[in-house]
Amino acid sequence: NRTGNGELIRPVCGHRWADIAGRVLARSRGGGYPSPVPTDAHIHFCDLHARDPDFPARFAASGWSACAASHRPTEFAWTEALRDQGLVFFSSFGIHPQWPVMDHADFLADLARSGRIAIIGEAGFDFFGDVPERVRNPANEATQRRAFEFQLELAERHGLPLLLHVLKAMDLVFE
């Protein structure tokens, strides 16, 4: 996500989303948030802990920081509780394109409004094709677009960066 001299790589595109991304970037610089990252660069503490129960302690001792992504309120609460163990991370919450249902949209909006998250996402498009919901067709594209645009507008409104998850759909992000 950085060039050889340490400069952040920024997304470049010509759609209105590029204009929104520019405004989000300007706000995020002044708000103490990390800059937008145009990649799927994050971790899920609950998944890592399930595989390796010692992971939180080793992560806390490492001095590293990370973007900890959550997609369900219970996962978010569990992840936030890790701060008591000394973990340093930026919290994100999003409507994942693999499950683009709007069940947690109000929860996400409340997190963004209250300042409890530093990043919105994972958001984006996933047309990997391994299951019917991830085959690229007009119905699936419309469902994923609805969730993506909701999160994009929320990011703009609150000056938050957007963590993208994009598989076989980069043209939709940069159209």
Side-chain angles (χ1 to χ4, degrees):
N1 303 9
R2 294 186 179 269
T3 64
N5 64 5
E7 294 175 6
L8 282 174
I9 297 171
R10 306 272 186 234
V12 178
C13 54
H15 191 273
R16 73 177 178 88
W17 296 341
D19 298 333
I20 292 171
R23 290 193 298 274
V24 168
L25 174 61
R27 288 185 193 156
S28 68
R29 284 186 178 151
Y33 298 112
S35 296
V37 178
T39 62
D40 186 8
H42 64 283
I43 60 177
H44 293 271
F45 282 128
C46 62
D47 294 341
L48 292 167
H49 181 264
R51 292 181 191 135
D52 177 4
D54 294 328
F55 176 78
R58 288 187 295 108
F59 184 86
S62 74
W64 285 70
S65 182
C67 173
S70 300
H71 304 295
R72 295 175 311 281
T74 53
E75 180 185 9
F76 181 79
W78 188 91
T79 300
E80 287 298 298
L82 291 174
R83 291 186 194 280
D84 295 338
Q85 296 181 31
L87 277 72
V88 177
F89 55 90
F90 295 101
S91 292
S92 77
F93 190 92
I95 301 167
H96 198 286
Q98 291 180 350
W99 305 280
V101 294
M102 301 296 284
D103 294 354
H104 304 305
D106 289 340
F107 182 76
L108 171 57
D110 288 343
L111 290 174
R113 185 175 30 260
S114 69
R116 293 182 59 205
I117 55 175
I119 301 162
I120 292 179
E122 297 168 74
F125 300 92
D126 188 328
F127 298 115
F128 188 69
D130 56 331
V131 295
E133 297 79 19
R134 290 195 287 272
V135 171
R136 189 165 181 170
N137 61 42
N140 289 342
E141 187 175 317
T143 299
Q144 291 186 27
R145 182 181 298 274
R146 199 169 19 260
F148 178 72
E149 289 185 352
F150 169 78
Q151 292 174 99
L152 184 65
E153 291 170 7
L154 199 59
E156 180 184 27
R157 186 176 323 125
H158 297 287
L160 295 171
L162 194 63
L163 174 66
L164 297 178
H165 174 106
V166 182
L167 289 172
K168 297 187 176 187
M170 195 61 76
D171 61 303
L172 297 176
V173 175
F174 295 106
E175 68 180 11

